[in-house]
Amino acid sequence: SQTIHQWPATLVQPVGSPLSLECTVEGTSNPNLYWYRQAAGRGLQLLFYSVGIGQISSEVPQNLSASRPQDRQFILSSKKLLLSDSGFYLCAWSVGGPNEQFFGPGTRLTVL
Amino acid sequence: GDSVTQMEGPVTLSEEAFLTINCTYTATGYPSLFWYVQYPGEGLQLLLKATKADDKGSNKGFEATYRKETTSFHLEKGSVQVSDSAVYFCALGGRQGGKLIFGQGTELSVKP
């Protein structure tokens, strides 16, 4: 069966520090991968998606970036965090079918 | 462009009450439709789906019917439990790159 992992689960970082969040999927090949952000009490905002290794599409301009160095690995990064980067970051995957997505457990990021 | 509109929350119900959460959509073509549930501090879980008009998705006592004529996919449950307290997201799929378009989410609180 397929599983999706995210780490770390929680993170507290100072403003201006770098960020690296990792997402890995097991049990499937060539998935589409997605990064979302969910601010407190708000809906989901799609940040990036990837349909293959090295292929990244950005949905909103910001100081975050994403990379996909391996088929089932998706990384969200920032060189310098802003207070507004605080939130709950969710990774998801999909493959074929009617495009349902399956979500990881999330990373709660607090920028102080 | 494509969009999903959900009823405003929070919705507060007593245990065993009937639940309806309204969802309407705007889209070109024939999208797939989904309901996701998010329990506090967790990622999203797929609750049910429907891939074509008149399909009824069901799971854990929840149901939703894909109504093309009214562009709706309302979520219903005949008797809610305290454990159903969560945020519910309606989503539209079948877009480029497997992207989903999410509604803003509806928070449900069930009181004993």
Side-chain angles (χ1 to χ4, degrees):
Chain A
S1 63
Q2 301 90 353
T3 56
I4 178 170
H5 304 280
Q6 286 187 246
W7 64 87
T10 60
L11 192 59
V12 180
Q13 292 285 96
V15 169
S17 63
L19 173 73
S20 180
L21 303 181
E22 189 164 342
C23 170
T24 59
V25 180
E26 296 176 357
T28 187
S29 296
N30 197 30
N32 296 330
L33 295 171
Y34 310 86
W35 277 113
Y36 291 88
R37 177 170 57 205
Q38 188 176 31
R42 305 286 293 275
L44 293 162
Q45 179 185 36
L46 179 63
L47 301 175
F48 302 94
Y49 72 96
S50 171
V51 299
I53 295 175
Q55 300 179 60
I56 308 295
S57 296
S58 174
E59 289 294 294
V60 292
Q62 58 210 319
N63 71 322
L64 299 171
S65 62
S67 62
R68 185 171 177 173
Q70 299 180 45
D71 182 44
R72 290 168 289 176
Q73 185 184 30
F74 205 23
I75 296 172
L76 183 69
S77 302
S78 174
K79 292 181 179 178
K80 288 186 177 182
L81 284 168
L82 306 173
L83 286 174
S84 58
D85 291 323
S86 293
F88 193 47
Y89 287 82
L90 290 161
C91 181
W93 68 272
S94 73
V95 56
N99 299 129
E100 64 255 51
Q101 292 180 14
F102 300 95
F103 285 79
T107 294
R108 184 160 304 282
L109 171 66
T110 303
V111 183
L112 301 176
Chain B
D2 298 344
S3 66
V4 175
T5 302
Q6 292 181 231
M7 64 187 290
E8 292 277 338
V11 174
T12 302
L13 296 174
S14 298
E15 206 165 22
E16 300 184 1
F18 184 85
L19 168 70
T20 299
I21 299 178
N22 290 338
C23 171
T24 57
Y25 68 90
T26 302
T28 56
Y30 302 95
S32 301
L33 298 171
F34 308 92
W35 277 102
Y36 283 84
V37 59
Q38 184 180 31
Y39 299 102
E42 299 183 7
L44 277 69
Q45 299 176 27
L46 179 64
L47 182 58
L48 53 84
K49 66 184 181 186
T51 58
K52 60 183 187 296
D54 300 325
D55 266 3
K56 176 185 283 188
S58 62
N59 186 25
K60 300 180 181 180
F62 291 89
E63 293 182 340
T65 301
Y66 189 158
R67 301 285 188 199
K68 184 171 178 293
E69 63 277 12
T70 54
T71 62
S72 65
F73 192 54
H74 304 323
L75 183 68
E76 297 182 336
K77 186 175 185 183
S79 176
V80 294
Q81 305 301 311
V82 172
S83 57
D84 293 326
S85 298
V87 179
Y88 293 81
F89 291 91
C90 184
L92 177 160
R95 309 296 97 182
Q96 180 187 7
K99 290 189 290 184
L100 295 178
I101 308 297
F102 283 91
Q104 70 270 36
T106 302
E107 182 181 358
L108 170 66
S109 177
V110 180
K111 305 298 184 186

